[in-house]
Amino acid sequence: MENRSHPSDQEAAEYVKLFIDPLILSDFENLNLDRFKMVEEAEAQIALFKKGDRLWVNFADGEHCDFPYYRKNIACTLDGATAETGLLTRSDAFDSFIKTTQGIEKKIYSSVSLNPGENVKDLWDEIIKKVNLISNESHSLRSLVEKLLDVPFLQKFESSIIILHLKGQTKAELLGTIWRGEKTQGLVEVKEFNAFFNSIKKSKIKSFSTDSFTKMNLPFNGSFLAKEVMSRKYSLVAVVSRHDFLSYSKDEIELFETCIDLLQPHFERLIDQEFSDKRISELRVCLKDFPLPLRIRDGVTGTSFMNDLYTSELQEKDIFFNKKVEGPFTLDLYDSDELRHYAFDLFHFQRISLLGELLNTLRHELSNPLFGLKLGSQLFATMDVSTDSKDLMAEIQKNINRCQVIIENFSNLYQVQTETKPVSIKKIVDESITLSKSEGREVRKTINYKDDTENLMLDVPLIFVVQILFNLIVNAAQAMKNMTTTRQIELSMSSDATSVFIDVIDNGPGIPEDKSSQLFKPFFTTKSQGTGLGLVLSRNLAVKMGGNLEYLVNNNGTGAHFRLTLPRT
């Protein structure tokens, strides 16, 4: 460092006029600039630049001095330009700056033994070069952490690790090396990381022991040095240890902190690079496996990314969603069979999940009062009361039991089922009739079992078949709502060698011929408040079970006729 005397200038100024090269302005974030007035370079009393790995300080008279470029020297430059009390002349500012920076360099290297012919400045330059060398050679965060032990004053240390938490992540990542060669890696709960980070940040000593942080599960025992680093994107703690239980000197602590300050921009670069690459890779996998045909186009180069479902047969008219995203990119989603199956599966799953939650809540709310009624009726029946009263209590108990069975069956019916169990056709029909009883209360129902189908077992999801029959019965009942004559629904079951057929026939107004071909198209409905998804969803469920749902022409000339076909077990 060059210690130049500076011309005196006794004229005080309210602010120190400062110029900072825009290329390094971001390095001055979080530093106090209240006593400075930012001006153009030609007007500045002090101008700061970065030349190579040096902090370059120009003064108004053309003289300069330079230091290794790291955060503490930036802070010292600003501290040297203002006094603790009153305002400084330019001469005082320069003297304070020289005194402060010389004091830090002297303090840092007072514990470093020098060989004959060496001096502090030469050793400092050697360390700066080494830090820059390992930073430039490190193409990954792990590599940088491992090579940290190659810095001259850390060559007697055994372990170097960092604990990194990216903002928004649920866990922090620990990585590094122990015993100078054994790689270590793990995850840390955010709660434990935050407690560790805050303890390091608040401590004035910066020398710690693993005994004080048992929950962190550090991969070594003993004393260690730690320094926190924080940015808008991440929080990080750098840790080094000799694997002994001796305390560290203030000089060693200062030296380690300075080293991490030097490495901070390199940490930032590698974290951005590494985790950006990781996020891009994860995004590509997500887009590749996306369940709809997808294309992302670059409007500048004309190149495109397509997922596995995209085919050359797809045309512009098949695009149902188009959005311009950041930059020149455009996202296209295409309509397809996969899209419809995916959408209807999701719609069905959401409906079933919601009904299951509602029925579980209903069961919970009704269980206690039903149990109370049942217990009360049982106690009343044991009293010395008339026979009629006892018969009445028995009838009450019978209906309470029936209520409990219905609630239990409905709750079980609307649980999401991961596997199927054989179920009889009779059970399927009974569940469907019970479920649709409210809507079809005034409709006469006829049930016919042909070909000995009443006890025939099917290996299909009960909930799927009940959902289809429920939709068909409710649709029929609503279509006949305004009829003045007798309303009827017939459920007819038959079979052949490979399939079972369930026909749902009503005597309502029927479906006009010009509309029958559109019944299974999404969002087509003949109801004023219908969604147009019921029949589409029902056919989709039938196809998933290996069957089909179709609309047949009613031979009687009136009403509607739907046939559900299911495979025999």
Side-chain angles (χ1 to χ4, degrees):
M1 181 182 67
E2 195 171 358
N3 188 359
R4 301 176 183 272
S5 60
H6 200 283
S8 64
D9 183 357
Q10 301 299 326
E11 186 176 333
E14 184 177 356
Y15 295 100
V16 176
K17 296 179 181 179
L18 176 67
F19 171 80
I20 302 174
D21 186 348
L23 295 176
I24 61 172
L25 194 57
S26 61
D27 295 338
F28 288 73
E29 288 183 0
N30 302 322
L31 293 177
N32 185 6
L33 299 176
D34 292 345
R35 298 295 302 275
F36 297 92
K37 181 179 181 181
M38 305 301 291
V39 297
E40 295 297 324
E41 182 182 357
E43 305 173 45
Q45 295 170 272
I46 299 175
L48 303 180
F49 302 88
K50 182 180 181 182
K51 296 188 178 182
D53 58 4
R54 309 291 288 181
L55 173 66
W56 201 270
V57 187
N58 283 351
F59 292 91
D61 61 359
E63 297 197 37
H64 78 274
C65 57
D66 63 282
F67 303 92
Y69 190 90
Y70 68 103
R71 190 176 179 83
K72 277 192 168 50
N73 276 348
I74 294 173
C76 291
T77 303
L78 300 179
D79 289 343
T82 57
E84 294 182 3
T85 57
L87 299 172
L88 285 175
T89 63
R90 288 188 299 167
S91 178
D92 292 335
F94 179 78
D95 290 341
S96 176
F97 167 70
I98 293 296
K99 182 179 178 181
T100 307
T101 51
Q102 280 182 328
I104 283 185
E105 288 191 0
K106 194 171 186 180
K107 180 180 180 182
I108 289 177
Y109 296 106
S110 61
S111 61
V112 179
S113 56
L114 301 177
N115 295 322
E118 287 184 331
N119 59 56
V120 170
K121 186 177 185 303
D122 290 338
L123 183 59
W124 171 244
D125 286 341
E126 180 186 342
I127 292 171
I128 294 296
K129 288 177 183 177
K130 187 65 177 179
V131 169
N132 284 330
L133 179 64
I134 67 172
S135 300
N136 293 329
E137 289 180 345
S138 299
H139 301 296
S140 70
L141 197 56
R142 176 182 286 280
S143 175
L144 178 61
V145 176
E146 291 173 355
K147 289 181 179 180
L148 184 60
L149 297 179
D150 294 340
V151 175
F153 54 82
L154 293 176
Q155 288 179 348
K156 292 183 180 180
F157 284 70
E158 299 290 344
S159 291
S160 170
I161 65 172
I162 63 167
I163 304 99
L164 169 68
H165 177 238
L166 296 176
K167 299 294 174 64
Q169 296 294 310
T170 57
K171 292 184 184 293
E173 184 174 1
L174 181 151
L175 60 90
T177 182
I178 56 176
W179 297 113
R180 286 190 166 267
E182 182 181 338
K183 290 179 170 57
T184 184
Q185 188 165 359
L187 296 176
V188 178
E189 295 292 336
V190 172
K191 180 180 178 182
E192 306 303 334
F193 171 80
N194 288 338
F196 182 65
F197 182 90
N198 290 329
S199 296
I200 303 300
K201 184 178 180 181
K202 292 176 183 177
S203 174
K204 296 181 180 180
I205 302 175
K206 301 298 181 183
S207 176
F208 307 92
S209 170
T210 52
D211 293 338
S212 302
F213 300 99
T214 54
K215 291 185 178 180
M216 275 299 296
N217 197 26
L218 294 170
F220 59 83
N221 291 317
S223 303
F224 63 90
L225 294 174
K227 174 76 169 87
E228 80 287 350
V229 177
M230 185 166 64
S231 81
R232 287 169 294 187
K233 297 180 181 178
Y234 69 87
S235 300
L236 174 152
V237 178
V239 175
V240 292
S241 174
R242 289 191 299 251
H243 291 197
D244 59 30
F245 293 89
L246 301 177
S247 299
Y248 296 93
S249 68
K250 295 175 75 173
D251 296 325
E252 288 175 311
I253 294 169
E254 188 73 38
L255 190 57
F256 175 66
E257 286 192 312
T258 301
C259 180
I260 299 304
D261 282 338
L262 279 168
L263 289 172
Q264 182 170 352
H266 301 289
F267 280 132
E268 186 112 23
R269 170 179 60 84
L270 290 172
I271 289 170
D272 279 346
Q273 171 187 308
E274 200 161 308
F275 286 91
S276 175
D277 290 346
K278 183 178 179 182
R279 285 193 295 269
I280 290 172
S281 176
E282 291 172 347
L283 179 60
R284 287 183 67 90
V285 171
C286 291
L287 292 175
K288 182 176 179 294
D289 295 335
F290 195 69
L292 314 177
L294 172 149
R295 177 177 65 176
I296 298 176
R297 294 177 292 173
D298 185 337
V300 176
T301 64
T303 57
S304 296
F305 168 85
M306 289 85 74
N307 70 347
D308 292 344
L309 293 178
Y310 181 89
T311 64
S312 57
E313 286 79 19
L314 291 170
Q315 302 176 15
E316 295 295 317
K317 65 182 180 62
D318 296 319
I319 296 175
F320 81 97
F321 178 84
N322 171 269
K323 183 173 179 62
K324 185 172 177 59
V325 290
E326 187 172 347
F329 299 102
T330 303
L331 170 67
D332 297 327
L333 291 179
Y334 291 80
D335 187 16
S336 69
D337 291 338
E338 285 82 4
L339 165 63
R340 286 190 286 273
H341 284 304
Y342 173 77
F344 299 139
D345 282 350
L346 180 60
F347 178 66
H348 178 255
F349 178 80
Q350 289 173 334
R351 287 180 66 179
I352 296 304
S353 298
L354 179 59
L355 279 171
E357 291 175 12
L358 291 174
L359 285 167
N360 278 332
T361 302
L362 184 64
R363 179 173 62 175
H364 176 74
E365 294 296 330
L366 292 180
S367 291
N368 287 338
L370 284 174
F371 177 76
L373 287 172
K374 186 175 182 179
L375 182 61
S377 64
Q378 289 172 341
L379 291 174
F380 189 82
T382 61
M383 296 179 181
D384 186 14
V385 294
S386 67
T387 303
D388 290 343
S389 296
K390 288 187 177 183
D391 290 343
L392 179 60
M393 291 302 108
E395 189 65 26
I396 290 174
Q397 290 179 44
K398 179 182 175 182
N399 282 281
I400 290 171
N401 290 335
R402 184 167 177 268
C403 288
Q404 290 175 328
V405 169
I406 290 173
I407 293 171
E408 184 69 25
N409 287 344
F410 278 0
S411 297
N412 293 335
L413 177 64
Y414 281 95
Q415 297 301 314
V416 177
Q417 300 168 358
T418 57
E419 58 183 32
T420 61
K421 296 179 181 179
V423 59
S424 70
I425 291 182
K426 186 177 187 308
K427 181 174 176 61
I428 292 173
V429 173
D430 289 347
E431 293 283 2
S432 304
I433 294 296
T434 302
L435 193 62
S436 58
K437 184 174 288 187
S438 175
E439 191 69 40
R441 189 180 302 276
E442 298 179 8
V443 178
R444 188 166 69 185
K445 302 175 187 69
T446 305
I447 301 173
N448 295 318
Y449 293 99
K450 303 175 183 178
D451 306 321
D452 196 25
T453 54
E454 185 171 1
N455 297 313
L456 189 64
M457 304 297 287
L458 298 180
D459 191 11
V460 293
L462 173 63
I463 189 172
F464 284 11
V465 189
V466 170
Q467 180 76 56
I468 296 170
L469 294 181
F470 171 80
N471 283 340
L472 296 177
I473 294 170
V474 168
N475 283 350
Q478 291 176 347
M480 298 186 290
K481 197 168 186 178
N482 297 322
M483 286 177 54
T484 56
T485 57
T486 303
R487 289 167 274 179
Q488 299 182 57
I489 295 177
E490 178 186 356
L491 273 73
S492 178
M493 277 59 67
S494 58
S495 66
D496 61 19
T498 59
S499 303
V500 173
F501 309 102
I502 303 177
D503 292 275
V504 181
I505 308 166
D506 65 62
N507 67 336
I511 298 171
E513 188 176 348
D514 61 329
K515 294 183 178 179
S516 61
S517 61
Q518 304 180 64
L519 286 176
F520 297 100
K521 288 187 176 180
F523 309 112
F524 173 79
T525 180
T526 58
K527 303 176 188 177
S528 59
Q529 296 182 342
T531 63
L533 293 175
L535 287 175
V536 186
L537 175 60
S538 295
R539 173 178 274 184
N540 186 54
L541 293 177
V543 171
K544 278 182 83 73
M545 292 184 288
N548 194 20
L549 178 64
E550 55 190 327
Y551 175 73
L552 304 179
V553 177
N554 196 334
N555 294 328
N556 296 329
T558 59
H561 182 180
F562 288 88
R563 170 170 287 180
L564 171 62
T565 304
L566 297 172
R568 291 190 65 160
T569 303

